[in-house]
């Protein structure tokens, strides 16, 4: 999703796996990464088409 939004890919699946095994905090990590995408499209209304960098 980050690449499609024209952002640099920063989400690392290995960090998610480690957080899952060690402290079960992986949902917080992935939510943080998704929030970065939402911040990029702050003015968009729900259901609105947004341009993708793909």
């Amino acid at each position: 999703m980050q690449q499609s939004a024209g952002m640099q890919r920063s989400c690392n699946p290995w960090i998610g796996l480690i957080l899952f095994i060690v402290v079960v905090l992986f949902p917080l990590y992935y939510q943080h990464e998704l929030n970065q995408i939402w911040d990029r499209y702050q003015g968009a209304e729900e259901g609105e088409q947004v341009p993708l960098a793909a």
Side-chain angles (χ1 to χ4, degrees):
M1 287 179 64
Q2 289 175 330
Q3 286 178 326
S4 295
M7 300 172 60
Q8 184 177 12
R9 188 174 160 192
S10 65
C11 187
N12 187 330
W14 290 108
I15 292 174
L17 179 63
I18 291 168
L19 289 173
F20 173 74
I21 292 170
V22 177
V23 280
V24 191
L25 290 177
F26 69 97
L28 296 176
Y29 173 70
Y30 288 125
Q31 186 62 55
H32 169 73
E33 295 295 332
L34 285 171
N35 287 345
Q36 291 178 0
I37 298 170
W38 293 120
D39 288 343
R40 181 173 175 88
Y41 295 108
Q42 277 186 324
E45 296 290 326
E46 184 175 338
E48 178 183 343
Q49 295 284 333
V50 294
L52 298 178

